Amino acid sequence: VHDVTGLIKLYFNTLETPILNQDDFLNIFDENNDEKKISSLLKNYLQEIPSNNYKIIKLIFSYLFKISSFSDKNKMTPEN
């Protein structure tokens, strides 16, 4: 798990253009936004990004979900 995660992190750190725009993404999760607004903003944001970026994000979250499904063994919960 650590090797794969390290490779993924290295890959993202070497990209010239990030998969997610940090400013946009941080604005979505602004502390003044309630859960409903965050959900709406996130949905709109994901619909607007390039399809390849969306596919990569989808794969990452699928991978993270799989890792968290073994949290009883690896102590990696969704909260981590």
PDB file of all heavy atoms in Angstrom, residues 2-26:
ATOM      1  N   HIS A   2       1.904   1.274   0.859  1.00  0.00           N
ATOM      2  CA  HIS A   2       2.746   2.464   0.960  1.00  0.00           C
ATOM      3  C   HIS A   2       3.512   2.722  -0.333  1.00  0.00           C
ATOM      4  O   HIS A   2       3.696   3.871  -0.737  1.00  0.00           O
ATOM      5  CB  HIS A   2       3.717   2.350   2.134  1.00  0.00           C
ATOM      6  CG  HIS A   2       3.031   2.306   3.461  1.00  0.00           C
ATOM      7  ND1 HIS A   2       2.349   3.388   3.971  1.00  0.00           N
ATOM      8  CD2 HIS A   2       2.906   1.311   4.372  1.00  0.00           C
ATOM      9  CE1 HIS A   2       1.839   3.061   5.144  1.00  0.00           C
ATOM     10  NE2 HIS A   2       2.155   1.814   5.410  1.00  0.00           N
ATOM     11  N   ASP A   3       3.965   1.649  -1.005  1.00  0.00           N
ATOM     12  CA  ASP A   3       4.702   1.822  -2.258  1.00  0.00           C
ATOM     13  C   ASP A   3       3.826   2.429  -3.343  1.00  0.00           C
ATOM     14  O   ASP A   3       4.243   3.354  -4.051  1.00  0.00           O
ATOM     15  CB  ASP A   3       5.261   0.478  -2.743  1.00  0.00           C
ATOM     16  CG  ASP A   3       6.355  -0.061  -1.837  1.00  0.00           C
ATOM     17  OD1 ASP A   3       6.958   0.738  -1.089  1.00  0.00           O
ATOM     18  OD2 ASP A   3       6.609  -1.276  -1.879  1.00  0.00           O
ATOM     19  N   VAL A   4       2.611   1.923  -3.477  1.00  0.00           N
ATOM     20  CA  VAL A   4       1.690   2.438  -4.489  1.00  0.00           C
ATOM     21  C   VAL A   4       1.336   3.890  -4.178  1.00  0.00           C
ATOM     22  O   VAL A   4       1.358   4.758  -5.065  1.00  0.00           O
ATOM     23  CB  VAL A   4       0.408   1.567  -4.568  1.00  0.00           C
ATOM     24  CG1 VAL A   4      -0.610   2.202  -5.486  1.00  0.00           C
ATOM     25  CG2 VAL A   4       0.744   0.161  -5.024  1.00  0.00           C
ATOM     26  N   THR A   5       1.043   4.159  -2.925  1.00  0.00           N
ATOM     27  CA  THR A   5       0.690   5.513  -2.518  1.00  0.00           C
ATOM     28  C   THR A   5       1.851   6.472  -2.762  1.00  0.00           C
ATOM     29  O   THR A   5       1.657   7.591  -3.234  1.00  0.00           O
ATOM     30  CB  THR A   5       0.277   5.535  -1.036  1.00  0.00           C
ATOM     31  OG1 THR A   5      -0.775   4.583  -0.836  1.00  0.00           O
ATOM     32  CG2 THR A   5      -0.204   6.905  -0.612  1.00  0.00           C
ATOM     33  N   GLY A   6       3.072   6.035  -2.467  1.00  0.00           N
ATOM     34  CA  GLY A   6       4.252   6.859  -2.710  1.00  0.00           C
ATOM     35  C   GLY A   6       4.451   7.171  -4.183  1.00  0.00           C
ATOM     36  O   GLY A   6       4.791   8.296  -4.552  1.00  0.00           O
ATOM     37  N   LEU A   7       4.216   6.171  -5.034  1.00  0.00           N
ATOM     38  CA  LEU A   7       4.335   6.391  -6.479  1.00  0.00           C
ATOM     39  C   LEU A   7       3.286   7.371  -6.990  1.00  0.00           C
ATOM     40  O   LEU A   7       3.579   8.232  -7.820  1.00  0.00           O
ATOM     41  CB  LEU A   7       4.218   5.058  -7.230  1.00  0.00           C
ATOM     42  CG  LEU A   7       5.434   4.156  -7.184  1.00  0.00           C
ATOM     43  CD1 LEU A   7       5.110   2.797  -7.815  1.00  0.00           C
ATOM     44  CD2 LEU A   7       6.602   4.800  -7.901  1.00  0.00           C
ATOM     45  N   ILE A   8       2.073   7.236  -6.481  1.00  0.00           N
ATOM     46  CA  ILE A   8       0.999   8.145  -6.881  1.00  0.00           C
ATOM     47  C   ILE A   8       1.339   9.569  -6.453  1.00  0.00           C
ATOM     48  O   ILE A   8       1.202  10.517  -7.231  1.00  0.00           O
ATOM     49  CB  ILE A   8      -0.358   7.690  -6.305  1.00  0.00           C
ATOM     50  CG1 ILE A   8      -0.786   6.374  -6.969  1.00  0.00           C
ATOM     51  CG2 ILE A   8      -1.421   8.766  -6.489  1.00  0.00           C
ATOM     52  CD1 ILE A   8      -1.977   5.723  -6.321  1.00  0.00           C
ATOM     53  N   LYS A   9       1.796   9.720  -5.219  1.00  0.00           N
ATOM     54  CA  LYS A   9       2.164  11.049  -4.717  1.00  0.00           C
ATOM     55  C   LYS A   9       3.297  11.646  -5.554  1.00  0.00           C
ATOM     56  O   LYS A   9       3.247  12.827  -5.919  1.00  0.00           O
ATOM     57  CB  LYS A   9       2.574  10.946  -3.247  1.00  0.00           C
ATOM     58  CG  LYS A   9       2.867  12.260  -2.609  1.00  0.00           C
ATOM     59  CD  LYS A   9       3.184  12.076  -1.135  1.00  0.00           C
ATOM     60  CE  LYS A   9       3.543  13.394  -0.493  1.00  0.00           C
ATOM     61  NZ  LYS A   9       3.872  13.255   0.921  1.00  0.00           N
ATOM     62  N   LEU A  10       4.296  10.844  -5.881  1.00  0.00           N
ATOM     63  CA  LEU A  10       5.408  11.314  -6.710  1.00  0.00           C
ATOM     64  C   LEU A  10       4.910  11.769  -8.082  1.00  0.00           C
ATOM     65  O   LEU A  10       5.303  12.824  -8.580  1.00  0.00           O
ATOM     66  CB  LEU A  10       6.455  10.212  -6.871  1.00  0.00           C
ATOM     67  CG  LEU A  10       7.656  10.522  -7.756  1.00  0.00           C
ATOM     68  CD1 LEU A  10       8.475  11.659  -7.162  1.00  0.00           C
ATOM     69  CD2 LEU A  10       8.518   9.279  -7.923  1.00  0.00           C
ATOM     70  N   TYR A  11       4.022  10.983  -8.671  1.00  0.00           N
ATOM     71  CA  TYR A  11       3.456  11.335  -9.977  1.00  0.00           C
ATOM     72  C   TYR A  11       2.758  12.687  -9.927  1.00  0.00           C
ATOM     73  O   TYR A  11       2.978  13.553 -10.773  1.00  0.00           O
ATOM     74  CB  TYR A  11       2.484  10.239 -10.430  1.00  0.00           C
ATOM     75  CG  TYR A  11       1.663  10.624 -11.629  1.00  0.00           C
ATOM     76  CD1 TYR A  11       2.225  10.675 -12.895  1.00  0.00           C
ATOM     77  CD2 TYR A  11       0.320  10.953 -11.491  1.00  0.00           C
ATOM     78  CE1 TYR A  11       1.474  11.039 -14.012  1.00  0.00           C
ATOM     79  CE2 TYR A  11      -0.439  11.316 -12.597  1.00  0.00           C
ATOM     80  CZ  TYR A  11       0.142  11.355 -13.843  1.00  0.00           C
ATOM     81  OH  TYR A  11      -0.608  11.726 -14.931  1.00  0.00           O
ATOM     82  N   PHE A  12       1.914  12.887  -8.919  1.00  0.00           N
ATOM     83  CA  PHE A  12       1.169  14.145  -8.827  1.00  0.00           C
ATOM     84  C   PHE A  12       2.089  15.327  -8.554  1.00  0.00           C
ATOM     85  O   PHE A  12       1.823  16.442  -9.013  1.00  0.00           O
ATOM     86  CB  PHE A  12       0.075  14.063  -7.771  1.00  0.00           C
ATOM     87  CG  PHE A  12      -1.063  13.179  -8.188  1.00  0.00           C
ATOM     88  CD1 PHE A  12      -1.496  12.150  -7.381  1.00  0.00           C
ATOM     89  CD2 PHE A  12      -1.698  13.368  -9.401  1.00  0.00           C
ATOM     90  CE1 PHE A  12      -2.535  11.335  -7.774  1.00  0.00           C
ATOM     91  CE2 PHE A  12      -2.738  12.562  -9.804  1.00  0.00           C
ATOM     92  CZ  PHE A  12      -3.154  11.545  -8.987  1.00  0.00           C
ATOM     93  N   ASN A  13       3.138  15.110  -7.812  1.00  0.00           N
ATOM     94  CA  ASN A  13       4.079  16.199  -7.528  1.00  0.00           C
ATOM     95  C   ASN A  13       4.888  16.615  -8.745  1.00  0.00           C
ATOM     96  O   ASN A  13       5.439  17.713  -8.778  1.00  0.00           O
ATOM     97  CB  ASN A  13       5.023  15.814  -6.385  1.00  0.00           C
ATOM     98  CG  ASN A  13       4.334  15.867  -5.040  1.00  0.00           C
ATOM     99  OD1 ASN A  13       3.391  16.616  -4.845  1.00  0.00           O
ATOM    100  ND2 ASN A  13       4.804  15.067  -4.111  1.00  0.00           N
ATOM    101  N   THR A  14       4.974  15.759  -9.758  1.00  0.00           N
ATOM    102  CA  THR A  14       5.754  16.085 -10.952  1.00  0.00           C
ATOM    103  C   THR A  14       4.906  16.665 -12.085  1.00  0.00           C
ATOM    104  O   THR A  14       5.458  17.084 -13.099  1.00  0.00           O
ATOM    105  CB  THR A  14       6.507  14.841 -11.478  1.00  0.00           C
ATOM    106  OG1 THR A  14       5.561  13.829 -11.811  1.00  0.00           O
ATOM    107  CG2 THR A  14       7.488  14.312 -10.444  1.00  0.00           C
ATOM    108  N   LEU A  15       3.605  16.715 -11.908  1.00  0.00           N
ATOM    109  CA  LEU A  15       2.727  17.273 -12.947  1.00  0.00           C
ATOM    110  C   LEU A  15       2.910  18.779 -13.073  1.00  0.00           C
ATOM    111  O   LEU A  15       3.011  19.488 -12.070  1.00  0.00           O
ATOM    112  CB  LEU A  15       1.260  16.978 -12.621  1.00  0.00           C
ATOM    113  CG  LEU A  15       0.808  15.535 -12.695  1.00  0.00           C
ATOM    114  CD1 LEU A  15      -0.649  15.431 -12.242  1.00  0.00           C
ATOM    115  CD2 LEU A  15       0.964  14.989 -14.095  1.00  0.00           C
ATOM    116  N   GLU A  16       2.956  19.260 -14.299  1.00  0.00           N
ATOM    117  CA  GLU A  16       3.043  20.704 -14.525  1.00  0.00           C
ATOM    118  C   GLU A  16       1.726  21.390 -14.178  1.00  0.00           C
ATOM    119  O   GLU A  16       1.709  22.496 -13.651  1.00  0.00           O
ATOM    120  CB  GLU A  16       3.412  20.992 -15.980  1.00  0.00           C
ATOM    121  CG  GLU A  16       4.824  20.609 -16.333  1.00  0.00           C
ATOM    122  CD  GLU A  16       5.170  20.934 -17.780  1.00  0.00           C
ATOM    123  OE1 GLU A  16       4.585  21.868 -18.348  1.00  0.00           O
ATOM    124  OE2 GLU A  16       6.036  20.236 -18.321  1.00  0.00           O
ATOM    125  N   THR A  17       0.628  20.752 -14.518  1.00  0.00           N
ATOM    126  CA  THR A  17      -0.706  21.280 -14.234  1.00  0.00           C
ATOM    127  C   THR A  17      -1.390  20.336 -13.246  1.00  0.00           C
ATOM    128  O   THR A  17      -1.526  19.144 -13.525  1.00  0.00           O
ATOM    129  CB  THR A  17      -1.555  21.357 -15.517  1.00  0.00           C
ATOM    130  OG1 THR A  17      -0.843  22.110 -16.495  1.00  0.00           O
ATOM    131  CG2 THR A  17      -2.894  21.998 -15.242  1.00  0.00           C
ATOM    132  N   PRO A  18      -1.822  20.845 -12.099  1.00  0.00           N
ATOM    133  CA  PRO A  18      -2.444  19.955 -11.112  1.00  0.00           C
ATOM    134  C   PRO A  18      -3.779  19.394 -11.595  1.00  0.00           C
ATOM    135  O   PRO A  18      -4.455  19.985 -12.429  1.00  0.00           O
ATOM    136  CB  PRO A  18      -2.639  20.857  -9.894  1.00  0.00           C
ATOM    137  CG  PRO A  18      -2.531  22.246 -10.385  1.00  0.00           C
ATOM    138  CD  PRO A  18      -1.753  22.224 -11.652  1.00  0.00           C
ATOM    139  N   ILE A  19      -4.124  18.243 -11.061  1.00  0.00           N
ATOM    140  CA  ILE A  19      -5.403  17.589 -11.385  1.00  0.00           C
ATOM    141  C   ILE A  19      -6.565  18.453 -10.885  1.00  0.00           C
ATOM    142  O   ILE A  19      -7.577  18.601 -11.549  1.00  0.00           O
ATOM    143  CB  ILE A  19      -5.481  16.186 -10.743  1.00  0.00           C
ATOM    144  CG1 ILE A  19      -4.340  15.304 -11.216  1.00  0.00           C
ATOM    145  CG2 ILE A  19      -6.830  15.537 -10.996  1.00  0.00           C
ATOM    146  CD1 ILE A  19      -4.403  14.923 -12.660  1.00  0.00           C
ATOM    147  N   LEU A  20      -6.411  19.000  -9.690  1.00  0.00           N
ATOM    148  CA  LEU A  20      -7.423  19.868  -9.096  1.00  0.00           C
ATOM    149  C   LEU A  20      -6.824  21.245  -8.869  1.00  0.00           C
ATOM    150  O   LEU A  20      -5.685  21.363  -8.429  1.00  0.00           O
ATOM    151  CB  LEU A  20      -7.881  19.318  -7.737  1.00  0.00           C
ATOM    152  CG  LEU A  20      -8.552  17.968  -7.727  1.00  0.00           C
ATOM    153  CD1 LEU A  20      -8.756  17.493  -6.291  1.00  0.00           C
ATOM    154  CD2 LEU A  20      -9.876  18.028  -8.449  1.00  0.00           C
ATOM    155  N   ASN A  21      -7.609  22.279  -9.127  1.00  0.00           N
ATOM    156  CA  ASN A  21      -7.175  23.636  -8.834  1.00  0.00           C
ATOM    157  C   ASN A  21      -7.340  23.850  -7.335  1.00  0.00           C
ATOM    158  O   ASN A  21      -8.450  23.811  -6.811  1.00  0.00           O
ATOM    159  CB  ASN A  21      -8.016  24.643  -9.618  1.00  0.00           C
ATOM    160  CG  ASN A  21      -7.624  26.055  -9.335  1.00  0.00           C
ATOM    161  OD1 ASN A  21      -7.736  26.526  -8.205  1.00  0.00           O
ATOM    162  ND2 ASN A  21      -7.146  26.742 -10.365  1.00  0.00           N
ATOM    163  N   GLN A  22      -6.232  24.077  -6.651  1.00  0.00           N
ATOM    164  CA  GLN A  22      -6.255  24.156  -5.205  1.00  0.00           C
ATOM    165  C   GLN A  22      -7.154  25.282  -4.690  1.00  0.00           C
ATOM    166  O   GLN A  22      -7.914  25.081  -3.742  1.00  0.00           O
ATOM    167  CB  GLN A  22      -4.845  24.336  -4.656  1.00  0.00           C
ATOM    168  CG  GLN A  22      -4.780  24.300  -3.147  1.00  0.00           C
ATOM    169  CD  GLN A  22      -3.368  24.379  -2.610  1.00  0.00           C
ATOM    170  OE1 GLN A  22      -2.419  24.519  -3.348  1.00  0.00           O
ATOM    171  NE2 GLN A  22      -3.241  24.287  -1.311  1.00  0.00           N
ATOM    172  N   ASP A  23      -7.099  26.442  -5.306  1.00  0.00           N
ATOM    173  CA  ASP A  23      -7.925  27.566  -4.853  1.00  0.00           C
ATOM    174  C   ASP A  23      -9.411  27.256  -4.986  1.00  0.00           C
ATOM    175  O   ASP A  23     -10.194  27.498  -4.058  1.00  0.00           O
ATOM    176  CB  ASP A  23      -7.595  28.837  -5.628  1.00  0.00           C
ATOM    177  CG  ASP A  23      -6.203  29.366  -5.317  1.00  0.00           C
ATOM    178  OD1 ASP A  23      -5.694  29.098  -4.202  1.00  0.00           O
ATOM    179  OD2 ASP A  23      -5.624  30.035  -6.191  1.00  0.00           O
ATOM    180  N   ASP A  24      -9.805  26.711  -6.135  1.00  0.00           N
ATOM    181  CA  ASP A  24     -11.213  26.350  -6.339  1.00  0.00           C
ATOM    182  C   ASP A  24     -11.648  25.298  -5.329  1.00  0.00           C
ATOM    183  O   ASP A  24     -12.719  25.389  -4.737  1.00  0.00           O
ATOM    184  CB  ASP A  24     -11.446  25.803  -7.751  1.00  0.00           C
ATOM    185  CG  ASP A  24     -11.302  26.862  -8.826  1.00  0.00           C
ATOM    186  OD1 ASP A  24     -11.355  28.064  -8.493  1.00  0.00           O
ATOM    187  OD2 ASP A  24     -11.121  26.481  -9.999  1.00  0.00           O
ATOM    188  N   PHE A  25     -10.800  24.305  -5.149  1.00  0.00           N
ATOM    189  CA  PHE A  25     -11.146  23.196  -4.264  1.00  0.00           C
ATOM    190  C   PHE A  25     -11.265  23.678  -2.815  1.00  0.00           C
ATOM    191  O   PHE A  25     -12.184  23.282  -2.099  1.00  0.00           O
ATOM    192  CB  PHE A  25     -10.088  22.091  -4.393  1.00  0.00           C
ATOM    193  CG  PHE A  25     -10.582  20.749  -3.978  1.00  0.00           C
ATOM    194  CD1 PHE A  25     -11.483  20.043  -4.751  1.00  0.00           C
ATOM    195  CD2 PHE A  25     -10.136  20.177  -2.804  1.00  0.00           C
ATOM    196  CE1 PHE A  25     -11.945  18.800  -4.369  1.00  0.00           C
ATOM    197  CE2 PHE A  25     -10.589  18.930  -2.412  1.00  0.00           C
ATOM    198  CZ  PHE A  25     -11.493  18.243  -3.196  1.00  0.00           C
ATOM    199  N   LEU A  26     -10.356  24.553  -2.385  1.00  0.00           N
ATOM    200  CA  LEU A  26     -10.424  25.076  -1.019  1.00  0.00           C
ATOM    201  C   LEU A  26     -11.653  25.960  -0.821  1.00  0.00           C
ATOM    202  O   LEU A  26     -12.248  25.963   0.261  1.00  0.00           O
ATOM    203  CB  LEU A  26      -9.148  25.841  -0.680  1.00  0.00           C
ATOM    204  CG  LEU A  26      -7.886  24.996  -0.541  1.00  0.00           C
ATOM    205  CD1 LEU A  26      -6.667  25.883  -0.324  1.00  0.00           C
ATOM    206  CD2 LEU A  26      -8.023  23.987   0.575  1.00  0.00           C
TER     207      LEU A  26
END
